[in-house]
């Protein structure tokens, strides 16, 4: 089989990506972001997605842990 190579945006917007649920939309404080979905599928288990941490969100906890060591 021979096929052309899609640019990333075209591939993620394509029919195959939609049919396989390969793009997930995650709500964040700055608005929704699109991410590549999990390629792993298991019966009775839907993949779970969460927003990435905000810049500096965990700094205080990490610095406190580092100071305690």
């Amino acid at each position: 089989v021979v096929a052309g190579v899609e640019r990333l945006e075209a591939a993620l917007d394509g029919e195959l990506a939609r049919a396989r649920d390969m793009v997930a939309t995650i709500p964040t404080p700055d608005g929704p972001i699109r991410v590549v979905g999990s390629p792993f599928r298991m019966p009775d288990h839907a993949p779970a997605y969460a927003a990435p941490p905000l810049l500096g969100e965990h700094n205080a906890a990490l610095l406190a842990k580092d100071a305690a060591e």
Side-chain angles (χ1 to χ4, degrees):
V1 174
V2 176
V5 176
E6 300 273 0
R7 297 191 63 81
L8 179 61
E9 192 65 29
L12 294 178
D13 286 335
E15 170 184 325
L16 186 59
R18 276 193 306 276
R20 295 185 177 178
D21 292 326
M22 290 306 303
V23 178
T25 302
I26 300 173
T28 70
D30 295 327
I33 59 172
R34 291 178 6 148
V35 298
V36 176
S38 175
F40 302 105
R41 302 287 190 252
M42 298 187 313
D44 303 323
H45 289 73
Y49 303 101
L54 299 173
L55 183 62
E57 181 177 348
H58 300 110
N59 284 3
L62 291 172
L63 292 172
K65 180 181 175 184
D66 190 41
E69 291 179 352

